């Protein structure tokens, strides 16, 4: 077996190098970044290696040449100068009250002041930060390096609470503004986060930041490319194939389908999620590793608040301005969902500057839709996975009555708050159910004004379904026959069911289904 030790959950570069953990060399890109600019911003989804990049830069600017032995930067860097470093990690606090941000800023400032001194007149966070930058430069004779990890965590956790967001914004805006006022004392600065809040927000005083989130030169500075897998993990690919009783080609294809597919810039190589990839090689089996670390509920709250049609998610279209910036109130859920890593760039129309978005890979698509189910349907989180299993077994055995009774239970207790958007709620629940069933059987699902048609295929059965809203099940079945929806399957050996279904806004549920065999 492989003797590699994978750095699962380890984000400290020094620990990785000293303790012999597996590391994919990103130092040439890091060096290019340092030598071609001073102020950077990088947005990437969670668990994508942002903290490790910050830690690598910290070791580099500390002049710790010995940690970079055998890596690309060892050949590139000649000087290895030690700089004073101000590293702010906003990841470690839960931001549910205004004082939570104040506490973490004060704690960091006090630590830096113990090293570089303070002045009585520096009473605000921004004045104290600016003073520390100035004195760190004067005391050491070297310009300061500022590294901010997860700059946006307070803002993200306050989505939906506009007062708290405003307080965090009003604190962070002047604080980060110190970077601009002390430009002459600063060698380098990098701020990372999941999202980019708009120009009118946290960054409005920081117009000297170079945003490399959609910069082709740095597209693979976080995450792992297919070439890097083959360069670093070729032996392990064969071991994974043997362990999973798959061919080498099958394993490569499965890895790609499960974890590849992130495109942060149009027309560029796909990037694999490093967390899921390393877990797969560590455990020598495939799994939903990224999702096991938790999906933020604010995403679901945004989708529901803005009555988002979930079917659109797989082929959403938008422009660069929307993709690149989230307004503090987040009136459009798409940028948050894109920047959080649940959607990625699938295509680009150069003529109009329009991006087509979609799920990056199977892990994200299946994981996200599974996650949504208990928030939309009348089913709890514990029972949720078993319900889908039962749905699949029922359609595979031809037990359509049990299937529809189970579906009815998903609509029970539909709250009065969804009555206004009833048609959309109904479509969203059906979309989630049939999307999840579709991971195990073949499903074609279409919606248009007031109706849904669906074809579901298993080994033994074909179901052609028509759903009506406030019509009748009889009308739905009549439409299947009159429009010959089942014609493509008439020569098929499998048993065919034509199913007409009506959904009633009075009962807020499936009112009736009729099946013609």
């Amino acid at each position: 077996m492989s003797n590699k030790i994978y750095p699962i959950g380890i984000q400290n570069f020094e620990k990785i190098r000293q303790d012999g953990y597996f590391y994919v060399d990103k130092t040439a890109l890091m060096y290019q970044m340092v030598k071609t600019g001073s102020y950077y911003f990088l947005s990437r989804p969670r668990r994508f290696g942002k903290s490790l990049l910050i830690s690598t830069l910290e070791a580099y600017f500390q002049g710790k040449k010995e940690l970079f032995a055998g890596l690309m930067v060892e050949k590139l860097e000649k000087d290895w100068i030690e700089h004073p470093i101000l590293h702010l990690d906003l990841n470690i606090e839960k931001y549910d009250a205004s004082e939570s941000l104040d506490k973490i800023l004060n704690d960091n400032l006090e630590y830096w002041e113990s090293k570089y001194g303070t002045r009585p007149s520096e009473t605000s966070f921004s004045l104290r930060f600016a003073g520390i930058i100035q004195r760190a430069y004067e005391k050491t004779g070297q310009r300061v390096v500022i590294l901010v990890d997860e700059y946006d965590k307070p803002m993200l956790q306050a989505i939906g609470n506009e007062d708290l967001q405003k307080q965090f914004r009003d604190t962070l805006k002047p604080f980060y503004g110190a970077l601009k006022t002390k430009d002459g004392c600063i060698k380098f600065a990098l701020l990372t986060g999941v999202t980019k809040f708009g120009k009118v927000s946290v960054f409005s005083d920081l117009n000297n930041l170079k945003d490399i989130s959609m910069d082709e030169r740095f597209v693979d500075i976080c995450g792992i490319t297919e070439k890097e897998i083959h360069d670093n993990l070729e032996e392990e690919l064969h071991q994974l194939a043997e362990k999973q009783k798959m061919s080498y080609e099958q394993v490569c294809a499965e890895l790609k389908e499960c974890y590849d597919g992130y495109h942060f810039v149009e027309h560029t190589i796909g990037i694999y999620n490093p967390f899921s990839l390393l877990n797969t090689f560590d455990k020598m089996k495939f799994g939903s590793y990224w999702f096991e670390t938790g999906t933020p509920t604010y995403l679901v709250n945004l989708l529901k608040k803005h009555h988002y049609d979930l079917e659109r998610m797989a082929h959403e279209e938008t422009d660069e301005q929307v993709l690149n910036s989230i307004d503090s109130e987040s009136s459009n859920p798409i940028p948050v969902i894109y920047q959080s890593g649940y959607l990625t760039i699938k295509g680009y129309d150069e003529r109009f500057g329009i991006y087509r978005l979609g799920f990056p890979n199977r892990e994200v698509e299946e994981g996200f839709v599974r996650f949504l189910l208990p928030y939309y349907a009348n089913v709890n989180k514990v029972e949720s996975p078993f319900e889908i299993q039962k749905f699949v077994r029922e359609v595979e055995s031809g037990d359509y009555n049990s299937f529809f009774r189970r579906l009815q239970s998903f609509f029970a207790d539909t709250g009065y708050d969804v009555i206004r958007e009833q048609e959309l709620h109904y479509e969203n629940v059906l979309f989630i159910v049939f999307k999840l069933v579709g991971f195990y059987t073949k499903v074609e699902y279409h919606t248009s004004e007031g109706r849904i048609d669906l074809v579901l295929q298993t080994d033994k059965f074909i179901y052609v379904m028509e759903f009506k809203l406030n019509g009748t099940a009889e009308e739905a079945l009549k439409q299947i026959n009159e429009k010959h929806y089942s014609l493509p399957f008439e020569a098929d050996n499998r048993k065919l069911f034509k199913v007409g279904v009506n959904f009633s806004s009075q009962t807020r549920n499936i009112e009736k289904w009729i099946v013609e065999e």
Side-chain angles (χ1 to χ4, degrees):
M1 289 301 284
S2 166
N3 57 359
K4 287 188 173 69
I5 323 169
Y6 298 98
I8 310 294
I10 296 168
Q11 299 162 340
N12 183 275
F13 179 73
E14 189 166 340
K15 184 176 179 180
I16 285 172
R17 297 296 288 166
Q18 285 180 341
D19 295 358
Y21 285 96
F22 174 68
Y23 176 70
V24 174
D25 189 357
K26 300 286 185 181
T27 60
L29 276 174
M30 178 198 73
Y31 182 81
Q32 184 187 344
M33 187 161 94
V34 169
K35 296 300 175 187
T36 55
S38 291
Y39 297 92
Y40 289 97
F41 170 74
L42 175 68
S43 142
R44 284 292 180 268
R46 64 189 173 83
R47 295 287 191 176
F48 236 86
K50 299 185 299 294
S51 297
L52 178 56
L53 174 62
I54 290 265
S55 180
T56 310
L57 281 158
E58 185 166 24
Y60 168 77
F61 280 116
Q62 284 169 335
K64 293 184 175 178
K65 183 182 178 181
E66 71 283 359
L67 296 177
F68 294 88
L71 300 179
M72 292 293 288
V73 74
E74 186 187 30
K75 300 172 192 159
L76 299 167
E77 184 56 79
K78 302 290 179 278
D79 300 326
W80 296 99
I81 295 163
E82 185 179 354
H83 290 266
I85 294 166
L86 305 178
H87 181 175
L88 175 63
D89 184 356
L90 291 180
N91 213 12
I92 57 174
E93 184 63 77
K94 189 177 181 217
Y95 299 97
D96 51 4
S98 55
E99 59 270 17
S100 50
L101 177 59
D102 293 358
K103 276 182 199 164
I104 200 163
L105 291 180
N106 187 57
D107 183 60
N108 279 274
L109 290 165
E110 281 193 4
Y111 172 67
W112 297 330
E113 283 164 347
S114 71
K115 289 175 80 170
Y116 302 115
T118 182
R119 289 172 63 214
S121 59
E122 292 166 1
T123 51
S124 67
F125 291 142
S126 50
L127 282 173
R128 288 168 69 189
F129 191 31
I132 289 162
I133 295 167
Q134 179 84 38
R135 285 187 296 278
Y137 172 50
E138 288 168 354
K139 274 194 166 187
T140 61
Q142 294 294 342
R143 288 199 174 101
V144 180
V145 170
I146 295 163
L147 304 169
V148 182
D149 201 1
E150 304 288 1
Y151 93 95
D152 56 342
K153 193 166 183 193
M155 307 287 289
L156 273 177
Q157 290 198 341
I159 279 182
N161 183 339
E162 286 174 32
D163 290 342
L164 192 56
Q165 268 222 337
K166 185 179 185 307
Q167 287 175 47
F168 288 155
R169 190 167 65 244
D170 291 348
T171 300
L172 289 172
K173 193 174 156 187
F175 183 80
Y176 292 134
L179 271 68
K180 195 171 179 187
T181 58
K182 290 297 170 189
D183 179 36
C185 306
I186 296 171
K187 165 74 177 169
F188 181 87
L190 171 65
L191 284 78
T192 71
V194 169
T195 53
K196 184 172 182 186
F197 283 92
K199 296 282 186 223
V200 295
S201 182
V202 177
F203 286 145
S204 54
D205 293 343
L206 258 185
N207 52 13
N208 54 341
L209 271 185
K210 190 191 282 191
D211 184 358
I212 55 169
S213 309
M214 294 181 76
D215 189 323
E216 195 169 338
R217 294 167 297 178
F218 300 104
V219 73
D220 55 339
I221 198 159
C222 290
I224 296 175
T225 66
E226 196 158 309
K227 183 180 186 303
E228 286 169 335
I229 294 173
H230 291 290
D231 288 350
N232 294 275
L233 293 158
E234 194 62 31
E235 186 188 336
E236 288 74 17
L237 281 169
H238 288 281
Q239 288 170 1
L240 181 60
E242 192 182 328
K243 190 87 182 2
Q244 292 302 315
K245 298 179 174 54
M246 297 165 82
S247 70
Y248 171 81
E249 290 74 22
Q250 283 173 325
V251 150
C252 292
E254 183 75 4
L255 275 177
K256 193 175 183 64
E257 192 183 336
C258 287
Y259 310 125
D260 186 19
Y262 284 93
H263 296 272
F264 302 110
V265 188
E266 65 275 10
H267 312 315
T268 53
I269 50 168
I271 306 291
Y272 285 73
N273 180 320
F275 185 76
S276 297
L277 198 67
L278 295 181
N279 268 287
T280 302
F281 283 110
D282 183 49
K283 295 184 174 69
M284 280 288 152
K285 68 179 199 180
F286 295 94
S288 292
Y289 299 110
W290 192 59
F291 264 88
E292 285 163 11
T293 62
T295 296
T297 50
Y298 66 73
L299 289 177
V300 187
N301 295 336
L302 274 180
L303 290 170
K304 293 188 85 169
K305 181 183 173 186
H306 299 294
H307 306 295
Y308 184 76
D309 178 355
L310 295 175
E311 201 192 354
R312 278 176 52 194
M313 196 177 285
H315 42 255
E316 185 66 67
E317 292 192 331
T318 188
D319 64 11
E320 186 173 348
Q321 201 176 348
V322 174
L323 271 196
N324 243 334
S325 180
I326 295 167
D327 60 84
S328 302
E329 285 72 44
S330 300
S331 54
N332 180 353
I334 289 310
V336 187
I337 290 161
Y338 164 75
Q339 290 178 23
S340 301
Y342 298 91
L343 293 176
T344 195
I345 296 167
K346 288 288 188 181
Y348 181 63
D349 184 327
E350 296 195 26
R351 187 179 173 202
F352 298 105
I354 298 293
Y355 290 89
R356 185 172 56 80
L357 306 179
F359 294 110
N361 52 47
R362 195 173 76 223
E363 183 193 21
V364 172
E365 181 172 23
E366 188 170 353
F368 193 54
V369 181
R370 272 182 187 277
F371 177 75
L372 291 176
L373 182 60
Y375 291 94
Y376 280 84
N378 179 41
V379 55
N380 67 41
K381 287 179 190 177
V382 178
E383 289 298 316
S384 189
F386 301 104
E387 292 293 331
I388 295 304
Q389 191 182 1
K390 289 168 189 166
F391 271 131
V392 172
R393 284 184 176 155
E394 284 154 5
V395 294
E396 285 178 341
S397 64
D399 185 1
Y400 48 77
N401 284 321
S402 295
F403 178 91
F404 280 106
R405 279 195 293 272
R406 187 175 309 284
L407 197 54
Q408 272 182 324
S409 74
F410 273 39
F411 291 102
D413 303 324
T414 300
Y416 282 96
D417 57 327
V418 299
I419 292 174
R420 275 188 313 108
E421 297 285 337
Q422 194 169 41
E423 186 175 341
L424 180 63
H425 173 72
Y426 165 64
E427 286 176 5
N428 279 342
V429 174
L430 287 183
F431 171 77
I432 292 169
V433 169
F434 287 114
K435 192 78 179 162
L436 289 171
V437 168
F439 288 112
Y440 307 97
T441 61
K442 193 177 176 192
V443 171
E444 291 170 64
Y445 177 96
H446 308 283
T447 64
S448 60
E449 295 301 306
R451 52 173 286 259
I452 291 169
D453 63 83
L454 181 113
V455 176
L456 205 154
Q457 299 181 56
T458 71
D459 291 345
K460 295 179 184 171
F461 305 104
I462 297 169
Y463 301 83
V464 177
M465 303 186 195
E466 177 71 30
F467 291 79
K468 291 274 185 196
L469 178 65
N470 293 327
T472 66
E474 289 79 5
E475 282 170 10
L477 187 60
K478 190 179 172 195
Q479 188 167 317
I480 292 173
N481 288 319
E482 283 182 353
K483 300 211 171 178
H484 308 293
Y485 289 161
S486 59
L487 195 62
F489 309 106
E490 306 234 314
D492 199 291
N493 292 329
R494 289 172 290 179
K495 187 167 184 181
L496 178 67
F497 295 112
K498 300 173 191 175
V499 189
V501 187
N502 185 54
F503 188 90
S504 159
S505 58
Q506 261 188 319
T507 60
R508 304 200 301 282
N509 209 320
I510 292 172
E511 171 251 343
K512 187 178 179 183
W513 61 90
I514 303 179
V515 180
E516 188 180 290
E517 296 184 19

